[in-house]
Amino acid sequence: MKPLPLSFYARPALEVARDLLGTLLVVDGAKGRRVARIVEVEAYLGEHDLAAHSSKGRTPRTEVMFGPAGRSYVYLIYGMHHCFNVVTDAPGVAAAVLVRGVEPVEGIPPGERTDGPGKLCRVLGLNLNHNNLPLDSDGLHLLPGTPVPDARVERGPRIGVEYAGAWAAEPFRLWDRDSGHVSRFVSRRPRRRP
């Protein structure tokens, strides 16, 4: 199977986010070949989106977000967790999609947690060495998978960006509701009242 073409990413972040659900993230590195199915993402729309890192303008950290599309944006949070994003849209827009949750497919030891951006990066071996790589490279790429039907796609507010005011409440987080590998899994069962 061939990696997704870089043109796949050269679209608005929300479109790419929706189409990433069900694709396969492949990392060939020190931990061997690891493959995981993307089941949860968050879209960041560019400099005008106050939850996006690019809202502070161009910095050495955010330079990759300004394009071209189809590159990886990996950063460190809290000094210990890596987060993996794909850069989207046209050059200069500074948009990206954060991968929040994946399902193990190949090469991932049983019992490993992949229901959160830091967890999945640790398990897949993604780190700052993977920043600003083309997403069709041998060591890091995405493959077409089995698309998630619209009926299974849930949308809600992004996580951990409360500082962004109204932007935090935008329904730019998308996930496969049937997956148990979603961060802060949302149960569809009604809560029992005490």
Side-chain angles (χ1 to χ4, degrees):
M1 234 188 306
K2 286 188 173 183
L4 294 171
L6 297 183
S7 59
F8 171 88
Y9 307 97
R11 301 177 291 140
L14 278 169
E15 287 181 26
V16 175
R18 169 60 185 95
D19 292 344
L20 282 173
L21 294 176
T23 62
L24 301 175
L25 173 57
V26 180
V27 181
D28 280 312
K31 296 186 175 194
R33 180 179 173 87
R34 297 207 165 179
V35 182
R37 181 175 172 269
I38 296 175
V39 294
E40 181 185 11
V41 294
E42 281 181 353
Y44 292 87
L45 309 188
E47 286 185 278
H48 65 283
D49 179 347
L50 297 182
H53 289 170
S54 57
S55 68
K56 307 283 191 245
R58 283 182 190 254
T59 66
R61 178 187 189 188
T62 64
E63 183 65 33
V64 64
M65 291 183 74
F66 287 83
R71 297 192 76 83
S72 59
Y73 171 41
V74 181
Y75 58 87
L76 190 64
I77 57 169
Y78 311 125
M80 62 175 128
H81 301 296
H82 292 95
C83 292
F84 170 77
N85 300 255
V86 300
V87 175
T88 65
D89 220 306
V93 173
V97 177
L98 170 67
V99 177
R100 287 201 63 89
V102 297
E103 291 179 350
V105 173
E106 176 187 329
I108 298 171
E112 291 282 4
R113 298 278 304 271
T114 55
D115 57 339
K119 294 174 194 172
L120 72 88
C121 283
R122 181 187 54 75
V123 169
L124 295 175
L126 289 166
N127 56 49
L128 295 178
N129 293 324
H130 295 95
N131 187 46
N132 203 10
L133 294 179
L135 292 172
D136 61 355
S137 67
D138 289 339
L140 178 63
H141 56 271
L142 281 81
L143 299 172
T146 303
V148 177
D150 287 340
R152 284 190 3 220
V153 176
E154 296 283 342
R155 293 178 68 125
R158 295 175 288 193
I159 297 172
V161 293
E162 292 76 20
Y163 58 83
W167 282 96
E170 292 289 345
F172 295 162
R173 175 176 163 243
L174 294 83
W175 67 94
D176 179 347
R177 76 166 186 222
D178 288 353
S179 176
H181 296 272
V182 172
S183 59
R184 295 193 185 178
F185 182 70
V186 179
S187 173
R188 298 195 51 85
R189 285 180 264 146
R191 290 186 181 186
R192 297 167 93 186
R193 296 190 179 185

